[in-house]
Amino acid sequence: MPAFLAHAADFTVVGAVDADAEAARSFAADFALPHHSTDLHTALREVRPDLVVIASPPVAHREQTVAALEAGAWVWCEKPPALSLAEYDAMTAAEGEAGPYAPIVFQHRFGSGAEHAKALIASGGLGAPLVAHCQTTWYRDDAYYAVPWRGKWATEGAGPAMGLGIHQIDLMLELLGDWAEIRAMAGRLARDTETDDVTTATVRFASGALATVVNSALSPRQVSHLRIDLRDATIELNHLYGYGNGDWTYTPAPGVDPARTAARSTPAEDIPSSHGAQLRSLLADMRAGRRPRASAGDGRRSLELITAMYKAALTGATVLAGEIVPGDPFYTALHGSVPGWAPEGSGR
């Protein structure tokens, strides 16, 4: 709501839908919205919105996104996109060739720090990327997982890589491009969950760069960290749930003139990563009638990498980009029906 209220000349929020009638009513009252409902289909028919924001648990994303698209509305869907690649592909299939479209909320790639780093890496001004580290080490206690849909394959989709780390993973992919192969491990170390509570992975990118990826719900000192070592400098981002330009650092390699790195390290403006930053981009795309960033294949790639991470972790195999297709058990569920990980009754 703060993001939409900051764009009051461009958007009018007209209603809220929630399975809990009181939650829908109180939210509508708090923001003076004319419509509230417990039924999305009724709201779509009565309100006929231009844009629907999906902020429900992951288990509802596919059905709600498809319903909104079929009603002619654009969709802005919170992460994780869906429970599986199969569900995400069904969401994309419901888009029209010329819209409506369904981008995912991946706001970290829209801050000025990320936009600047992406352009700098793409330009080759600091040399090729060689080594990277992508870390989402957060802390979620037992009470967090007491919420009925959390920690379960059928409703959350997977563990912290899916529910917590996907933002940093998306940003890593935004900066480094296509990946080629992945090896991984997963564990249930401290929380009473069906899913894991920690994953680690090693990724080889199409460029040849190598990266480690760590996702944890067990880390008392919380941090979101992304580090990319290029030939001539190291780019680092340290934050928790959002960043500004001051959270990025550029360190020159030995022998590289520090002034050269410093001259390249500061964006022209300071736009924090936020829903507002992505919303500005989405508004421009809606007005132009063009496909927005973080939709279709661009929105799918972090989910594909995470799916491959689980396949690699639960099978012990090296997984190649593009190999998880219809017919692969991991295409429809990230546990892949692997014994010891899959819920009972979900066999192949």
Side-chain angles (χ1 to χ4, degrees), residues 13 36 60 71 84 183 195 201 233 251 272 283 290 310 317:
V13 182
H36 62 87
S84 66
R183 299 169 176 84
T195 65
T251 304
L283 173 63
R290 63 179 175 241
Y310 279 96

Side-chain angles (χ1 to χ4, degrees), residues 243-289:
Y243 63 80
N245 286 352
D247 297 307
W248 294 79
T249 59
Y250 287 70
T251 304
V256 173
D257 182 0
R260 175 185 161 208
T261 303
R264 295 174 176 269
S265 64
T266 305
E269 54 184 338
D270 191 353
I271 300 174
S273 63
S274 66
H275 285 70
Q278 185 173 359
L279 186 60
R280 285 189 289 274
S281 176
L282 177 56
L283 173 63
D285 294 328
M286 291 183 72
R287 286 177 167 166

Side-chain angles (χ1 to χ4, degrees), residues 68-257:
L69 289 169
E70 290 180 344
W74 286 46
V75 172
W76 195 23
C77 183
E78 279 286 355
K79 61 80 188 168
L83 296 178
S84 66
L85 291 172
E87 289 200 353
Y88 184 83
D89 290 345
M91 290 161 56
T92 300
E95 296 178 328
E97 287 189 13
Y101 301 115
I104 308 303
V105 177
F106 284 136
Q107 72 271 24
H108 288 328
R109 62 162 87 174
F110 291 87
S112 55
E115 300 276 19
H116 181 78
K118 179 182 179 181
L120 189 56
I121 293 170
S123 75
L126 293 176
L130 304 172
V131 183
H133 178 62
C134 179
Q135 174 184 349
T136 303
T137 43
W138 293 359
Y139 188 83
R140 298 294 184 265
D141 61 13
D142 291 331
Y144 176 85
Y145 287 105
V147 175
W149 58 267
R150 289 189 177 132
K152 296 181 175 62
W153 298 104
T155 47
E156 191 169 21
M162 186 82 130
L164 307 180
I166 193 169
H167 278 305
Q168 288 296 111
I169 290 171
D170 178 75
L171 180 55
M172 176 183 69
L173 293 170
E174 179 76 356
L175 299 182
L176 294 180
D178 294 335
W179 62 280
E181 62 178 285
I182 186 169
R183 299 169 176 84
M185 292 187 290
R188 296 188 194 101
L189 303 184
R191 300 289 176 260
D192 183 15
T193 61
E194 279 187 353
T195 65
D196 61 288
D197 51 22
V198 62
T199 57
T200 64
T202 304
V203 183
R204 186 187 305 276
F205 281 83
S207 67
L210 296 177
T212 59
V213 182
V214 179
N215 301 281
S216 167
L218 309 177
S219 305
R221 189 182 75 80
Q222 301 187 93
V223 68
S224 301
H225 174 68
L226 183 62
R227 171 180 174 141
I228 300 174
D229 296 319
L230 300 103
R231 182 195 64 208
D232 294 338
T234 293
I235 301 175
E236 287 185 272
L237 168 64
N238 284 287
H239 68 114
L240 188 53
Y241 301 134
Y243 63 80
N245 286 352
D247 297 307
W248 294 79
T249 59
Y250 287 70
T251 304
V256 173
D257 182 0

Side-chain angles (χ1 to χ4, degrees), residues 263-341:
R264 295 174 176 269
S265 64
T266 305
E269 54 184 338
D270 191 353
I271 300 174
S273 63
S274 66
H275 285 70
Q278 185 173 359
L279 186 60
R280 285 189 289 274
S281 176
L282 177 56
L283 173 63
D285 294 328
M286 291 183 72
R287 286 177 167 166
R290 63 179 175 241
R291 176 173 289 285
R293 292 167 63 187
S295 67
D298 186 35
R300 187 184 193 270
R301 61 185 178 176
S302 58
L303 180 59
E304 182 188 8
L305 178 61
I306 289 169
T307 303
M309 182 186 303
Y310 279 96
K311 181 175 182 179
L314 303 191
T315 65
T318 297
V319 178
L320 304 180
E323 79 170 57
I324 301 176
V325 296
D328 187 310
F330 286 88
Y331 180 72
T332 52
L334 273 70
H335 56 66
S337 298
V338 173
W341 285 98

Side-chain angles (χ1 to χ4, degrees), residues 23-78:
R25 186 207 63 76
S26 63
F27 187 88
D30 288 345
F31 294 101
L33 308 183
H35 183 94
H36 62 87
S37 174
T38 59
D39 185 83
L40 177 61
H41 295 276
T42 298
L44 291 169
R45 185 173 60 252
E46 294 181 355
V47 178
R48 302 187 63 81
D50 299 303
L51 176 67
V52 174
V53 180
I54 305 294
S56 51
V59 65
H61 288 184
R62 179 193 60 79
E63 180 182 356
Q64 292 174 346
T65 296
V66 170
L69 289 169
E70 290 180 344
W74 286 46
V75 172
W76 195 23
C77 183
E78 279 286 355

